[in-house]
Amino acid sequence: DALAVIGDDEPDEDVALLTVRLGNALLFVGRIPEATELIERALEMGEALGLPEILIRGWSAKAIAVAPRRRREAELLLRAAAELALEQGSSDRAATALGNLSDLAFGHDRYQDALGYLGQSLDLARRAGDRPNIWFATSESTYALYHLGRWDEAIAAFEELPKEQLPSGHVLISPLTSVLPIHIDRGELKEARALRDIYARLEGS
């Protein structure tokens, strides 16, 4: 609705921000052609008007859109987004781009690379005191550590997570695919059931 009101105005930062955010929202509900059109339009405005925030958001969104077909291009876009975010002092945006890079690495069984990206994201989040990104990077790292056979480290990382945040699921769901199978493989069924019960509310999600 907001974009419908000002979308035909002379392009400026507000129009560009609404355009890229709507493109991102459409991307996540699976309306890829519409999303891609808006993201490209926003990137053109970002380039023409010299708007780093729009470029960071646009490159990150475009990377997600093209990743299933063009992994290398997606990786380059996310690296550019992270680099520009760091230049602009936006640790939150940089952490998000690095998190997306780790997800891309997971999709191709590059667990050491994923762990490296998550480590960078975690360092940024800790320096900024950004608890949600600290929790996200820590949670995701358990998955990388599990696949690398570093099970004790995966359990230790899990112990750093605030247990009251886990039932929300959202970005803290990795322990179900890392810590839970570790407990099962070790025969620690009591611990496995306790972890499963923490996430019980997600069963019908």
Side-chain angles (χ1 to χ4, degrees):
D1 291 344
L3 188 59
V5 172
I6 68 169
D8 292 329
D9 291 356
E10 189 71 23
D12 62 12
E13 187 168 6
D14 291 332
V15 174
L17 183 59
L18 281 173
T19 302
V20 78
R21 291 191 67 181
L22 180 57
N24 200 61
L26 290 170
L27 177 65
F28 277 97
V29 296
R31 292 162 61 180
I32 308 300
E34 295 169 81
T36 300
E37 181 182 348
L38 288 170
I39 291 163
E40 290 294 344
R41 194 185 309 166
L43 284 170
E44 288 178 8
M45 286 187 270
E47 287 281 2
L49 300 173
L51 302 171
E53 173 75 6
I54 304 305
L55 295 176
I56 294 165
R57 288 177 179 267
W59 289 337
S60 295
K62 183 175 180 178
I64 293 169
V66 304
R69 305 177 310 281
R70 305 196 299 268
R71 178 185 63 82
R72 291 184 184 277
E73 180 180 346
E75 189 170 342
L76 288 170
L77 286 165
L78 288 170
R79 287 179 183 274
E83 184 178 326
L84 184 55
L86 288 172
E87 287 177 11
Q88 296 297 311
S90 179
S91 60
D92 179 57
R93 290 285 159 211
T96 299
L98 288 164
N100 285 330
L101 277 165
S102 75
D103 191 61
L104 199 62
F106 281 142
H108 293 84
D109 299 329
R110 292 162 43 205
Y111 300 108
Q112 193 62 54
D113 290 346
L115 194 60
Y117 292 131
L118 290 167
Q120 294 176 59
S121 179
L122 187 57
D123 287 343
L124 287 171
R126 282 175 171 158
R127 287 203 295 269
D130 179 355
R131 287 186 293 174
N133 269 323
I134 291 172
W135 300 335
F136 168 75
T138 302
S139 175
E140 291 290 286
S141 71
T142 66
Y143 187 69
L145 291 166
Y146 166 59
H147 281 283
L148 291 169
R150 295 160 60 177
W151 289 10
D152 288 341
E153 291 174 71
I155 298 293
F158 172 70
E159 292 301 328
E160 294 178 17
L161 295 171
K163 300 306 179 284
E164 69 277 6
Q165 296 292 332
L166 297 179
S168 66
H170 192 41
V171 297
L172 301 183
I173 205 166
S174 279
L176 280 176
T177 53
S178 57
V179 177
L180 182 62
I182 289 173
H183 285 317
I184 292 171
D185 287 344
R186 286 177 166 176
E188 299 165 349
L189 300 187
K190 179 181 178 182
E191 290 83 351
R193 291 190 184 98
L195 179 56
R196 178 202 59 190
D197 291 345
I198 288 176
Y199 290 98
R201 64 175 292 275
L202 300 180
E203 185 175 357
S205 171

